[in-house]
Amino acid sequence: MSAPAFRIGQGWDTHRLVAGRPLILGGVPVPSDLGLDGHSDADILLHAITDALLGALALGDIGMHFPDTDPQWKGASSDRFLQHAHALVREQGYRIGNLDTTIILQRPKLKDFREPIRNRIASTLGIAPQQVSVKFKTAEQVGPVGQRLSAEAQATVLLLQG
Ligand code: C5P
Ligand code: MG
């Protein structure tokens, strides 16, 4: 079978929101009273994008490639996970067409961080900011995200052959 011209992938992540941790989204620190808890920098957006890339290649998920029991990845910046997944994309003969993402966070407002986050993700991946969409939603104060116990991110990617 010849390699398909396009491959689509989706990813999702969630981490707890706690006091005394930074809020890092797409590699960009955002001032906040609560931050994301986790082994790594807990960057839900980069984790969701990394899973979308792995998913598009049907190569498993982030925990399989970067087990938190492996000292190599302990405390690693999520940029490294993303770059590793992107290297697999290139090795398999694909490139990113576009990425569309959503962060679901009750507070703080993120709209002033849209361009810094887009630019940071684009530069980490060596693509144009126009290929990276970053959207924000509250959870209308409902459920764990709405009650500020956690935050979530979703990502969809289209890979093009070549
Ligand atoms: O969730 P809701 O529809 O109320 O969000 C309205 C707008 O507020 C979103 O379209 C987004 O631009 C912005 N927003 C934001 N930061 C958040 C959540 C939403 O800037 N944490
Ligand atoms: Mg995560």
Side-chain angles (χ1 to χ4, degrees):
M1 189 186 87
S2 63
F6 308 101
R7 296 194 70 127
I8 193 165
Q10 70 88 30
W12 173 88
D13 195 24
T14 186
H15 280 253
R16 286 173 189 274
L17 273 180
V18 295
R21 286 272 303 180
L23 179 63
I24 300 175
L25 295 169
V28 175
V30 174
S32 172
D33 56 336
L34 302 181
L36 292 165
D37 199 17
H39 285 281
S40 65
D41 56 13
D43 189 327
I44 47 174
L45 182 56
L46 295 192
H47 294 178
I49 296 171
T50 301
D51 255 0
L53 294 177
L54 294 172
L57 299 172
L59 283 180
D61 61 37
I62 194 166
M64 192 185 117
H65 288 263
F66 316 105
D68 52 26
T69 49
D70 183 340
Q72 189 194 164
W73 302 111
K74 194 172 161 52
S77 152
S78 298
D79 289 358
R80 284 185 58 210
F81 303 155
L82 182 59
Q83 282 167 339
H84 186 87
H86 190 224
L88 294 174
V89 168
R90 301 300 296 140
E91 270 171 31
Q92 302 263 326
Y94 289 93
R95 61 191 163 85
I96 293 172
N98 71 298
L99 258 175
D100 185 19
T101 70
T102 304
I103 295 172
I104 308 118
L105 178 79
Q106 187 63 38
R107 260 201 339 265
K109 283 285 180 203
L110 294 170
K111 55 188 189 312
D112 291 345
F113 294 89
R114 196 186 317 272
E115 295 313 312
I117 292 172
R118 290 178 75 201
N119 290 334
R120 175 70 194 256
I121 292 168
S123 86
T124 300
L125 292 170
I127 61 178
Q130 291 76 11
Q131 290 170 279
V132 181
S133 155
V134 179
K135 310 189 303 302
F136 310 120
K137 294 299 285 181
T138 69
E140 299 289 351
Q141 300 181 40
V142 176
V145 177
Q147 296 297 311
R148 301 191 80 211
L149 297 174
S150 61
E152 296 181 6
Q154 303 170 345
T156 303
V157 65
L158 184 68
L159 302 184
L160 313 177
Q161 201 178 38

